[in-house]
Amino acid sequence: MRPSRAYFSFPLHCIAATLLAPAALAQTTTPVSAEAPAKSLGMVTVTSGQPTSLPTQIPTTIEGVTREQIGQIINATDSEDALKYLPSLLVRKRYIGDYNHAILSSRASGTGNSARSAVYADGILLSNYLGNGIANGTNYAPRWGLVAPEEIERVDVLYGPFSAAYPGNSVGAVVDYVTRMPTQFEAHAKVSAFNQNFKLYGTDSSYGGNQASASLGSKSGDWSWFVNLNRTKSAGQPLTFTTKTLSAAAPAAGAVPVTGAVPGLNTRNVPWLLVGGATQYETEQEHAKLKVAYDFSPTVRASYTLGYWDNSAQNRSESYLRNAAGVPVYSGNVGINGRGYNLAATDFGASNEVLTHVMHGLSVKSNTKGEFDWEVAASLYDYQTDQIRASTTAQPGSLSGGAGTLQDQDGTGWNNLALKGIWRPEGLSGAHIVDFGYQQDAYKLRILKSNTVGNWLSGGAGTLVSDVGGRTQLRSVYAQDAWTFAPKWKTVLGARFENWNASSGFTSFGAGNAANTAYASRSETAVSPKAALSWQWAADTTLKASTGRAVRFPTVGELYGATATVNSQYINDPKLKPEKSWTSELTAEKDLGNALLRFTLFTENTRDALYSQVTFDPAANSNISRVQNVGRIKTNGLEVAFNGTDLLAKGLGFSGSVTYADSRIKENSGFVAVPGDTVGKYQPRVPVWRATGLVSYRFDPSWTGTFAARYSGNQFSSLDNSDVNGFAYQGTSKYFTTDVRFHYKVNKQWTAAFGIDNLNNYQYWNFHPYPQRTFMAELKVDL
């Protein structure tokens, strides 16, 4: 038997092996009982908590965290925070409420590759496969804002592309959020506040905000429902900085002498000046979720989900430069230390964003636990409103109006359809469980950018700057058989057949422009085999092996999204090849009685890897991003995870992980500066070493304290690894951060918590600076 996982000890890796069939999971809103889960062939049957929608019969690595753990040991202000201590995972969250850059990375995928992971909520796709990473003057991070932390019942992560039920985007990881659906009346409310003191270059200020959430739900007869409302108001630190390469020229005639420039080194250790902070967001986000379920019979349920997310954000910048009177200088010719520089009107930009996204999900599902079960599910994600207004004139005048641009993505979105079946030819306890299905995923992107008529703050669309867009569609059929062919042996064999097409692609830069292009349609097919095997070597030891092929097709943005902003340019490629990966892992898992120890060897071989490489053009003061296929990337690694309860003392728990990954470019005809300069170099943003550790202690029935740490080694952002200085703007640095949290249960209904993220105030980078020491406090009531 596997040891009991009492929540009071707070092990984070509550599902360190795979789970058995979802039908074995019972819905409940109470903590786990003392009954220990049963283990068989490296799998676990969990007898409480809502079921994951992951394919739990596959003997491969799944990690997870529960609602109780999130509330008691994690400073969770956004839904992605639930993942922060799981092995080998990192979400590039730059500030609380980060809605456009919070990309998930995994064992062999960096934070620039959002299309190499799959994030779902109750089976509804939250990953944004309209593009990859940050490009086209927009972003393609998962839509984390459609799940509030207070909604979460559990989160599970499947590592690798080992299930035929998911597309090739699952090559890194599949994250499944299961949100609450009550079995009786319940009500919850929470308020929280947070603040950080941020000091970097010429910026020295405090940034903070607050959050409020309320939930209500019940079950009456055949109907059950749940409503959640959440509001976040947050101010983040400056995320970008205005820089100038050192000048050898004398100041121009009439140049204004200024002070305040901060000398520094760029990522290649070349001296430059930092003259201002920019991209300082103030965001107000509102989230609403309605879930309704109806039981047609004891074995057939229909469910509908409506998600609403609204965001109003202001992006502002500040100049460090001051004239003799102490007044900030934002534009024109200036003199710094006797040398001449020019400040462009757009060097200190300002923009406003108004975003309203709506999500629908509908499913009808049987749960007979007999010979056959089925599910029909459909979802829709719609950019109802998605507009960015940006000034093209200089501050301070631009803050009250002037010329600018309007970027409009209204109508962009995606829809998904899934028909699934489970066949148990010998019943629930039989030797075979066969999963099969058909899926269709369709994506539509349009980015229309215009000069504004009159005032950039409110003017309508005028002359065209660029208009790009297109569609992709993926149709798939899959099947996999979980076969217990001997008392201590189980295998899963499967395959996925996919047909992908891209159509309606276009780029336009105005009537008569020679660069205007209408792209021909494309179509590709792929077959992705999967296999897994588990052996119960001893009563307390299981060995597991998995392998799978994944094909990640190009996104609409990569194919057609040629766009430009005032400080960046994206160059598309309509001829991109699909990315093809073979991933394998070998795991040994040992039950230590009150702890679980896992060793996993993993390897991945990726051909034609899709990469968007950003280079900085100092002459144009602009980031140039070009998407390309990288010939071959090979990753070999080892992941060790430990999860224990009541260690040394009752109530003392520890969970931790260490990951080693040697991920290098083996072949590449492309290059950054000269041919061959990327071969043998490390894959960007995949560190060789990373680790997590969390210690939690229950002092008494009311008080719980947690101390956690995260570490990542040196890494690079460029394909040629020339960015050797990670501790600089646009660099990617190593880091070691610590967090603390104290949770106090006042009585049965009321709880309070206080926490600090980045307790040691480590200053680290992932192109942008991460938050510094952040304080947070919360108060919650459960009825």
Side-chain angles (χ1 to χ4, degrees):
M1 299 290 287
R2 186 180 299 276
S4 174
R5 293 296 187 242
Y7 285 126
F8 300 134
S9 300
F10 315 120
L12 271 172
H13 311 142
C14 66
I15 307 180
T18 34
L19 309 170
L20 262 177
L25 301 169
Q27 293 185 356
T28 182
T29 59
T30 59
V32 114
S33 67
E35 181 182 356
K39 183 174 77 173
S40 175
L41 299 179
M43 302 181 186
V44 179
T45 302
V46 174
T47 56
S48 64
Q50 291 198 172
T52 176
S53 67
L54 294 178
T56 53
Q57 71 276 16
I58 299 176
T60 193
T61 302
I62 292 183
E63 298 278 354
V65 59
T66 65
R67 170 173 58 96
E68 286 80 4
Q69 293 168 317
I70 295 169
Q72 296 180 24
I73 65 175
I74 301 176
N75 297 322
T77 54
D78 299 285
S79 60
E80 62 265 36
D81 291 328
L83 309 175
K84 70 165 69 171
Y85 304 117
L86 294 181
S88 305
L89 300 184
L90 169 69
V91 177
R92 186 193 182 211
K93 176 182 165 181
R94 305 168 301 166
Y95 62 95
I96 292 172
D98 189 356
Y99 59 93
N100 57 9
H101 279 59
I103 293 173
L104 173 67
S105 66
S106 54
R107 290 169 175 169
S109 300
T111 53
N113 279 322
S114 59
R116 294 192 99 239
S117 60
V119 180
Y120 296 87
D122 301 316
I124 300 172
L125 182 68
L126 298 184
S127 285
N128 186 345
Y129 299 144
L130 294 166
N132 183 39
I134 310 301
N136 320 113
T138 184
N139 71 89
Y140 302 104
R143 306 289 87 182
W144 306 106
L146 268 296
V147 178
E150 288 66 50
E151 289 184 79
I152 300 171
E153 181 68 23
R154 66 181 306 124
V155 189
D156 298 306
V157 180
L158 170 69
Y159 288 72
F162 304 123
S163 170
Y166 295 102
N169 307 88
S170 65
V171 61
V174 180
V175 178
D176 177 50
Y177 285 86
V178 177
T179 62
R180 300 180 59 72
M181 181 56 82
T183 57
Q184 59 186 11
F185 177 80
E186 60 179 64
H188 314 271
K190 189 180 87 167
V191 292
S192 62
F194 43 86
N195 188 76
Q196 67 159 319
N197 294 315
F198 186 85
K199 187 174 183 180
L200 179 66
Y201 301 136
T203 300
D204 187 356
S205 188
S206 295
Y207 303 94
N210 56 75
Q211 193 173 69
S213 178
S215 303
L216 194 68
S218 187
K219 180 175 173 59
S220 178
D222 294 328
W223 289 94
S224 52
W225 56 274
F226 182 79
V227 176
N228 174 265
L229 302 175
N230 183 279
R231 182 178 183 273
T232 299
K233 184 176 182 179
S234 176
Q237 73 279 6
L239 300 173
T240 63
F241 298 88
T242 305
T243 63
K244 296 295 177 181
T245 54
L246 292 186
S247 171
V256 178
V258 295
T259 59
V262 180
L265 300 175
N266 69 11
T267 60
R268 290 162 175 79
N269 282 325
V270 176
W272 63 2
L273 296 178
L274 297 107
V275 298
T279 319
Q280 190 271 306
Y281 282 109
E282 293 194 10
T283 175
E284 293 189 24
Q285 301 177 36
E286 295 178 348
H287 159 274
K289 179 74 68 65
L290 169 66
K291 295 174 61 180
V292 180
Y294 179 74
D295 296 324
F296 289 104
S297 71
T299 60
V300 177
R301 166 174 282 199
S303 302
Y304 171 71
T305 299
L306 171 64
Y308 172 89
W309 178 76
D310 181 85
N311 178 31
S312 297
Q314 289 188 341
N315 166 9
R316 296 295 184 262
S317 55
E318 63 170 338
S319 174
Y320 300 154
L321 304 179
R322 299 292 186 270
N323 62 17
V327 177
V329 176
Y330 287 95
S331 62
N333 292 318
V334 297
I336 302 175
N337 297 327
R339 297 181 179 183
Y341 298 86
N342 178 261
L343 303 178
T346 55
D347 276 350
F348 300 96
S351 66
N352 295 339
E353 300 185 27
V354 177
L355 315 173
T356 300
H357 293 188
V358 178
M359 176 184 76
H360 301 269
L362 178 65
S363 69
V364 182
K365 184 177 182 178
S366 76
N367 188 22
T368 66
K369 305 177 186 178
E371 182 177 351
F372 182 74
D373 276 307
W374 53 270
E375 179 180 5
V376 178
S379 63
L380 170 70
Y381 193 98
D382 178 45
Y383 285 35
Q384 193 173 89
T385 301
D386 196 298
Q387 297 183 354
I388 302 176
R389 296 177 173 273
S391 169
T392 55
T393 58
Q395 287 198 57
S398 65
L399 298 182
S400 57
T405 60
L406 171 61
Q407 179 173 287
D408 189 341
Q409 294 190 78
D410 294 3
T412 289
W414 62 86
N415 61 77
N416 311 94
L417 172 67
L419 311 177
K420 303 178 184 179
I422 302 176
W423 178 41
R424 309 177 187 93
E426 299 155 343
L428 186 62
S429 59
H432 291 271
I433 300 178
V434 180
D435 291 276
F436 58 93
Y438 168 82
Q439 296 170 352
Q440 179 175 292
D441 308 303
Y443 303 89
K444 175 188 175 183
L445 175 69
R446 187 183 184 189
I447 307 173
L448 173 62
K449 188 172 184 179
S450 308
N451 293 305
T452 54
V453 176
N455 194 326
W456 73 272
L457 293 166
S458 58
T463 57
L464 181 67
V465 176
S466 63
D467 187 8
V468 303
R471 297 174 181 264
T472 61
Q473 185 177 64
L474 183 67
R475 295 185 179 95
S476 313
V477 293
Y478 71 91
Q480 56 194 14
D481 179 18
W483 177 27
T484 305
F485 61 90
K488 295 184 178 182
W489 291 86
K490 186 167 190 173
T491 186
V492 177
L493 301 173
R496 182 180 183 88
F497 177 83
E498 297 170 312
N499 173 253
W500 170 86
N501 65 77
S503 62
S504 306
F506 67 93
T507 56
S508 176
F509 302 95
N513 193 303
N516 293 349
T517 307
Y519 300 100
S521 297
R522 289 180 52 189
S523 182
E524 304 261 359
T525 59
V527 178
S528 299
K530 320 281 184 177
L533 179 69
S534 68
W535 175 39
Q536 191 84 43
W537 182 27
D540 61 357
T541 306
T542 303
L543 302 180
K544 298 180 287 184
S546 306
T547 190
R549 184 178 191 250
V551 178
R552 202 279 270 181
F553 293 97
T555 63
V556 187
E558 290 168 317
L559 293 169
Y560 308 130
T563 56
T565 66
V566 294
N567 61 0
S568 67
Q569 181 181 1
Y570 182 83
I571 302 174
N572 67 305
D573 185 350
K575 298 180 180 180
L576 289 169
K577 302 175 185 176
E579 176 182 291
K580 299 168 282 293
S581 301
W582 271 102
T583 304
S584 303
E585 70 171 41
L586 179 63
T587 293
E589 188 178 84
K590 187 171 181 62
D591 189 335
L592 301 174
N594 64 338
L596 188 70
L597 178 63
R598 174 174 62 82
F599 292 86
T600 298
L601 289 167
F602 59 89
T603 182
E604 181 176 294
N605 191 55
T606 300
R607 292 190 177 276
D608 298 319
L610 287 160
Y611 248 97
S612 180
Q613 177 66 64
V614 178
T615 58
F616 180 69
D617 182 350
N621 193 32
S622 179
N623 293 314
I624 308 298
S625 181
R626 182 187 300 274
V627 65
Q628 60 186 284
N629 286 112
V630 174
R632 184 168 71 94
I633 299 176
K634 177 72 172 179
T635 305
N636 295 311
L638 171 66
E639 183 180 88
V640 181
F642 177 87
N643 179 38
T645 65
D646 295 333
L647 301 171
L648 303 178
K650 185 173 178 59
L652 179 63
F654 172 77
S655 65
S657 66
V658 177
T659 302
Y660 167 81
D662 182 22
S663 185
R664 298 183 187 248
I665 299 170
K666 298 296 186 180
E667 302 171 16
N668 190 21
S669 59
F671 56 91
V672 175
V674 296
D677 62 1
T678 66
V679 177
K681 302 301 174 63
Y682 288 103
Q683 181 183 178
R685 298 185 183 178
V686 178
V688 176
W689 291 99
R690 69 190 92 175
T692 63
L694 184 145
V695 179
S696 188
Y697 183 65
R698 186 186 183 195
F699 298 96
D700 59 40
S702 298
W703 281 98
T704 300
T706 303
F707 178 83
R710 294 178 295 157
Y711 169 80
S712 175
N714 293 323
Q715 49 192 305
F716 303 93
S717 286
S718 64
L719 289 169
D720 64 353
N721 296 178
S722 60
D723 51 329
V724 293
N725 179 17
F727 290 97
Y729 170 47
Q730 302 183 356
T732 305
S733 69
K734 66 179 182 180
Y735 62 82
F736 175 75
T737 63
T738 57
D739 309 322
V740 295
R741 182 174 175 86
F742 294 95
H743 183 270
Y744 178 60
K745 189 171 181 61
V746 181
N747 55 38
K748 185 177 180 180
Q749 286 80 34
W750 290 89
T751 57
F754 172 77
I756 305 174
D757 277 350
N758 197 2
L759 174 67
N760 54 322
N761 206 28
Y762 198 91
Q763 192 176 102
Y764 62 117
W765 297 82
N766 195 330
F767 193 95
H768 309 282
Y770 277 108
Q772 296 179 10
R773 184 184 296 119
T774 304
F775 299 85
M776 53 195 70
E778 63 186 53
L779 182 66
K780 184 180 180 183
V781 60
D782 299 293
L783 302 177

